């Protein structure tokens, strides 16, 4: 209203110049507002909680990059993970997971429970993951908790995990009974030819980081962003 009154009161000769100033000012205001909405968002904080499939995974940087591009906001992925460990170890690491107050927790903790030499029974593994999920829900009530099944095992590492499918199913069931999310990456790995799969996971357990990124990251971006991707 003030601008309109000034326009009417202004001599005709000066009105075009004033109009241009007003137009540029409005454009600048909209531009600044748009940028502040995109750039002012806090980073999305993710903790990847797991075994060597996370500790040695190498897919976290790609997840940061692709999810940030999708959501148009910064994404930080930190790992709480250790090679060779089980859900018994994971129960002692919850303070570390909670400390960063993540928005999302990605969990893969079945792989070494399923190894025969670790002596973690299926019943014990199921109880442990249930306790982990309950504590995370209580201590991070606003966080999304996503339980994952990772890549298949082969060779000797497959032989020592003859019942790994049962452990995955138990962890999935414990997530779903609590209304939590579950992502199964195995079907995407199984779409590879046997030769490509062997080349992608040369030791039978740990995928090459670049291949892991190509298989795991798109599925996680889809799960996390849903239909909100802004690319």
């Amino acid at each position: 209203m003030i601008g309109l009154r000034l326009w009417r009161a202004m001599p005709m000769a000066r009105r075009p110049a004033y109009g241009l100033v007003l137009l540029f000012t409005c454009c600048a205001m909209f531009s600044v507002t748009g940028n502040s909405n995109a750039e002012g968002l806090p980073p999305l904080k993710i903790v990847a909680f797991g075994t060597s499939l996370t500790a040695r995974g190498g897919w976290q940087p790609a997840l940061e990059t692709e999810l940030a591009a999708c959501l148009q906001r910064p994404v930080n992925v930190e790992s709480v993970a250790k090679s060779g460990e089980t859900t018994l170890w994971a129960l002692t690491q919850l303070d570390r997971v909670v400390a960063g107050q993540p928005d999302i927790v990605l969990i893969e903790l079945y792989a070494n429970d399923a190894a025969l030499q670790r002596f973690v029974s299926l019943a014990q593994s199921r109880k442990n993951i249930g306790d982990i999920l309950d504590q995370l829900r209580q201590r991070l009530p606003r966080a999304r908790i996503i339980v994952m099944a990772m890549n298949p095992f082969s060779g000797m590492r497959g032989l020592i995990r003859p019942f790994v499918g049962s452990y995955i199913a138990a962890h999935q069931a414990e997530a779903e009974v609590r209304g939590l999310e579950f992502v199964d990456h195995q079907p995407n790995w199984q779409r590879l030819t046997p030769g490509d799969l062997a080349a992608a996971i040369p030791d039978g357990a740990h995928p090459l980081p670049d291949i892991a990124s190509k298989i795991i990251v798109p599925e996680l971006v889809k799960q996390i962003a849903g239909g909100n991707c802004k690319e």
Side-chain angles (χ1 to χ4, degrees):
M1 289 299 293
I2 293 174
L4 184 58
R5 289 171 185 169
L6 287 172
W7 172 270
R8 289 173 176 171
M10 190 173 293
M12 291 294 294
R14 295 179 59 191
R15 284 187 181 182
Y18 179 79
L20 287 174
V21 171
L22 185 61
L23 176 63
F24 290 141
T25 302
C26 290
C27 290
M29 288 175 62
F30 282 116
S31 175
V32 169
T33 301
N35 289 338
S36 65
N37 287 341
E39 298 173 1
L41 291 172
L44 182 73
K45 294 186 287 186
I46 299 174
V47 169
F49 187 23
T51 66
S52 58
L53 301 180
T54 294
R56 295 173 52 182
W59 45 266
Q60 295 92 326
L63 179 60
E64 287 183 332
T65 300
E66 294 189 25
L67 190 56
C70 174
L71 298 178
Q72 294 185 9
R73 66 181 291 190
V75 176
N76 293 337
V77 181
E78 297 183 359
S79 296
V80 177
K82 189 173 181 181
S83 298
E85 290 295 350
T86 68
T87 50
L88 295 168
W89 166 84
L91 283 165
T92 70
Q93 303 300 306
L94 295 174
D95 286 346
R96 292 176 61 198
V97 176
V98 172
Q101 291 295 297
D103 302 294
I104 298 171
V105 183
L106 304 174
I107 301 175
E108 55 85 13
L109 288 167
Y110 62 87
N112 295 318
D113 284 17
L116 295 176
Q117 77 274 20
R118 299 295 178 183
F119 302 107
V120 180
S121 70
L122 180 60
Q124 185 64 58
S125 182
R126 184 163 191 160
K127 180 182 184 304
N128 290 349
I129 192 64
D131 290 345
I132 289 166
L133 297 177
D134 285 341
Q135 290 194 49
L136 289 176
R137 283 203 310 168
Q138 180 181 4
R139 299 175 66 181
L140 296 169
R142 297 182 181 178
R144 290 175 64 180
I145 300 173
I146 303 174
V147 178
M148 302 187 295
M150 305 300 278
N151 53 275
F153 295 96
S154 64
M156 182 58 66
R157 287 184 165 92
L159 290 175
I160 63 174
R161 295 174 172 88
F163 309 113
V164 65
S166 297
Y167 283 78
I168 291 172
H171 285 218
Q172 178 180 0
E174 290 301 309
E176 291 179 347
V177 77
R178 291 166 173 80
L180 303 176
E181 300 170 66
F182 179 79
V183 174
D184 189 353
H185 297 291
Q186 294 176 108
N188 290 330
W189 285 104
Q190 290 163 356
R191 291 189 181 96
L192 300 179
T193 66
D196 287 344
L197 186 61
I201 313 175
D203 70 354
H206 305 100
L208 300 176
D210 59 333
I211 306 299
S213 297
K214 292 177 182 177
I215 297 291
I216 293 170
V217 170
E219 195 69 26
L220 286 178
V221 170
K222 181 171 67 175
Q223 180 74 22
I224 293 169
N228 295 320
C229 193
K230 299 176 183 178
E231 283 187 304

mmCIF file of all heavy atoms in Angstrom, residues 57-59 189 207-218:
data_model
loop_
_atom_site.group_PDB
_atom_site.id
_atom_site.type_symbol
_atom_site.label_atom_id
_atom_site.label_comp_id
_atom_site.label_asym_id
_atom_site.label_seq_id
_atom_site.Cartn_x
_atom_site.Cartn_y
_atom_site.Cartn_z
ATOM 1 N N GLY A 57 32.096 -51.038 4.605
ATOM 2 C CA GLY A 57 31.160 -50.986 3.487
ATOM 3 C C GLY A 57 31.527 -50.004 2.404
ATOM 4 O O GLY A 57 31.432 -50.303 1.212
ATOM 5 N N GLY A 58 31.894 -48.779 2.792
ATOM 6 C CA GLY A 58 32.280 -47.769 1.823
ATOM 7 C C GLY A 58 31.121 -47.116 1.085
ATOM 8 O O GLY A 58 31.352 -46.275 0.206
ATOM 9 N N TRP A 59 29.886 -47.457 1.434
ATOM 10 C CA TRP A 59 28.722 -46.884 0.746
ATOM 11 C C TRP A 59 28.221 -45.603 1.392
ATOM 12 O O TRP A 59 27.382 -44.898 0.823
ATOM 13 C CB TRP A 59 27.574 -47.909 0.697
ATOM 14 C CG TRP A 59 27.332 -48.634 1.997
ATOM 15 C CD1 TRP A 59 27.849 -49.842 2.375
ATOM 16 C CD2 TRP A 59 26.504 -48.203 3.094
ATOM 17 N NE1 TRP A 59 27.405 -50.192 3.633
ATOM 18 C CE2 TRP A 59 26.574 -49.205 4.097
ATOM 19 C CE3 TRP A 59 25.724 -47.078 3.316
ATOM 20 C CZ2 TRP A 59 25.883 -49.096 5.307
ATOM 21 C CZ3 TRP A 59 25.038 -46.978 4.527
ATOM 22 C CH2 TRP A 59 25.123 -47.980 5.504
ATOM 23 N N TRP A 189 21.099 -57.519 -5.073
ATOM 24 C CA TRP A 189 22.346 -58.247 -5.304
ATOM 25 C C TRP A 189 22.094 -59.474 -6.170
ATOM 26 O O TRP A 189 22.912 -59.812 -7.044
ATOM 27 C CB TRP A 189 22.966 -58.683 -3.972
ATOM 28 C CG TRP A 189 23.616 -57.579 -3.208
ATOM 29 C CD1 TRP A 189 23.130 -56.935 -2.111
ATOM 30 C CD2 TRP A 189 24.880 -56.978 -3.492
ATOM 31 N NE1 TRP A 189 24.009 -55.963 -1.694
ATOM 32 C CE2 TRP A 189 25.095 -55.967 -2.510
ATOM 33 C CE3 TRP A 189 25.850 -57.184 -4.466
ATOM 34 C CZ2 TRP A 189 26.241 -55.182 -2.490
ATOM 35 C CZ3 TRP A 189 26.998 -56.405 -4.450
ATOM 36 C CH2 TRP A 189 27.181 -55.408 -3.472
ATOM 37 N N PRO A 207 31.412 -56.655 -0.028
ATOM 38 C CA PRO A 207 31.377 -56.131 -1.396
ATOM 39 C C PRO A 207 32.419 -55.039 -1.608
ATOM 40 O O PRO A 207 32.792 -54.318 -0.677
ATOM 41 C CB PRO A 207 29.957 -55.552 -1.514
ATOM 42 C CG PRO A 207 29.167 -56.188 -0.429
ATOM 43 C CD PRO A 207 30.141 -56.442 0.680
ATOM 44 N N LEU A 208 32.866 -54.912 -2.833
ATOM 45 C CA LEU A 208 33.709 -53.774 -3.195
ATOM 46 C C LEU A 208 32.906 -52.486 -2.983
ATOM 47 O O LEU A 208 31.719 -52.421 -3.331
ATOM 48 C CB LEU A 208 34.151 -53.879 -4.649
ATOM 49 C CG LEU A 208 34.973 -55.122 -5.003
ATOM 50 C CD1 LEU A 208 35.257 -55.154 -6.496
ATOM 51 C CD2 LEU A 208 36.271 -55.168 -4.208
ATOM 52 N N PRO A 209 33.517 -51.464 -2.389
ATOM 53 C CA PRO A 209 32.753 -50.260 -2.028
ATOM 54 C C PRO A 209 32.003 -49.617 -3.181
ATOM 55 O O PRO A 209 30.866 -49.162 -3.001
ATOM 56 C CB PRO A 209 33.817 -49.327 -1.463
ATOM 57 C CG PRO A 209 34.856 -50.241 -0.904
ATOM 58 C CD PRO A 209 34.898 -51.396 -1.862
ATOM 59 N N ASP A 210 32.601 -49.564 -4.376
ATOM 60 C CA ASP A 210 31.907 -48.909 -5.474
ATOM 61 C C ASP A 210 30.673 -49.689 -5.914
ATOM 62 O O ASP A 210 29.620 -49.107 -6.227
ATOM 63 C CB ASP A 210 32.856 -48.678 -6.657
ATOM 64 C CG ASP A 210 33.460 -49.963 -7.200
ATOM 65 O OD1 ASP A 210 33.583 -50.938 -6.427
ATOM 66 O OD2 ASP A 210 33.817 -50.004 -8.386
ATOM 67 N N ILE A 211 30.755 -51.023 -5.884
ATOM 68 C CA ILE A 211 29.590 -51.841 -6.235
ATOM 69 C C ILE A 211 28.547 -51.774 -5.126
ATOM 70 O O ILE A 211 27.342 -51.676 -5.392
ATOM 71 C CB ILE A 211 29.999 -53.302 -6.484
ATOM 72 C CG1 ILE A 211 31.118 -53.375 -7.516
ATOM 73 C CG2 ILE A 211 28.788 -54.111 -6.934
ATOM 74 C CD1 ILE A 211 30.749 -52.824 -8.868
ATOM 75 N N ALA A 212 29.012 -51.800 -3.871
ATOM 76 C CA ALA A 212 28.067 -51.680 -2.751
ATOM 77 C C ALA A 212 27.287 -50.383 -2.847
ATOM 78 O O ALA A 212 26.075 -50.347 -2.595
ATOM 79 C CB ALA A 212 28.823 -51.759 -1.424
ATOM 80 N N SER A 213 27.963 -49.306 -3.221
ATOM 81 C CA SER A 213 27.289 -48.012 -3.348
ATOM 82 C C SER A 213 26.210 -48.058 -4.417
ATOM 83 O O SER A 213 25.110 -47.526 -4.240
ATOM 84 C CB SER A 213 28.305 -46.921 -3.672
ATOM 85 O OG SER A 213 29.247 -46.777 -2.615
ATOM 86 N N LYS A 214 26.507 -48.707 -5.539
ATOM 87 C CA LYS A 214 25.544 -48.772 -6.644
ATOM 88 C C LYS A 214 24.332 -49.625 -6.287
ATOM 89 O O LYS A 214 23.221 -49.375 -6.771
ATOM 90 C CB LYS A 214 26.222 -49.310 -7.897
ATOM 91 C CG LYS A 214 27.263 -48.370 -8.478
ATOM 92 C CD LYS A 214 27.964 -48.989 -9.672
ATOM 93 C CE LYS A 214 29.051 -48.067 -10.218
ATOM 94 N NZ LYS A 214 29.796 -48.691 -11.348
ATOM 95 N N ILE A 215 24.530 -50.638 -5.444
ATOM 96 C CA ILE A 215 23.432 -51.533 -5.090
ATOM 97 C C ILE A 215 22.627 -50.991 -3.916
ATOM 98 O O ILE A 215 21.387 -50.991 -3.928
ATOM 99 C CB ILE A 215 23.980 -52.932 -4.743
ATOM 100 C CG1 ILE A 215 24.671 -53.557 -5.963
ATOM 101 C CG2 ILE A 215 22.865 -53.843 -4.210
ATOM 102 C CD1 ILE A 215 23.759 -53.947 -7.084
ATOM 103 N N ILE A 216 23.316 -50.521 -2.881
ATOM 104 C CA ILE A 216 22.673 -50.177 -1.615
ATOM 105 C C ILE A 216 22.080 -48.775 -1.623
ATOM 106 O O ILE A 216 20.954 -48.552 -1.150
ATOM 107 C CB ILE A 216 23.693 -50.320 -0.468
ATOM 108 C CG1 ILE A 216 24.074 -51.799 -0.294
ATOM 109 C CG2 ILE A 216 23.148 -49.747 0.842
ATOM 110 C CD1 ILE A 216 25.243 -52.014 0.643
ATOM 111 N N VAL A 217 22.835 -47.814 -2.154
ATOM 112 C CA VAL A 217 22.440 -46.411 -1.996
ATOM 113 C C VAL A 217 21.112 -46.062 -2.663
ATOM 114 O O VAL A 217 20.268 -45.417 -2.047
ATOM 115 C CB VAL A 217 23.579 -45.484 -2.455
ATOM 116 C CG1 VAL A 217 23.110 -44.034 -2.544
ATOM 117 C CG2 VAL A 217 24.756 -45.601 -1.485
ATOM 118 N N PRO A 218 20.868 -46.463 -3.917
ATOM 119 C CA PRO A 218 19.574 -46.104 -4.514
ATOM 120 C C PRO A 218 18.378 -46.624 -3.718
ATOM 121 O O PRO A 218 17.355 -45.936 -3.589
ATOM 122 C CB PRO A 218 19.637 -46.746 -5.903
ATOM 123 C CG PRO A 218 21.095 -46.841 -6.204
ATOM 124 C CD PRO A 218 21.745 -47.138 -4.889
#
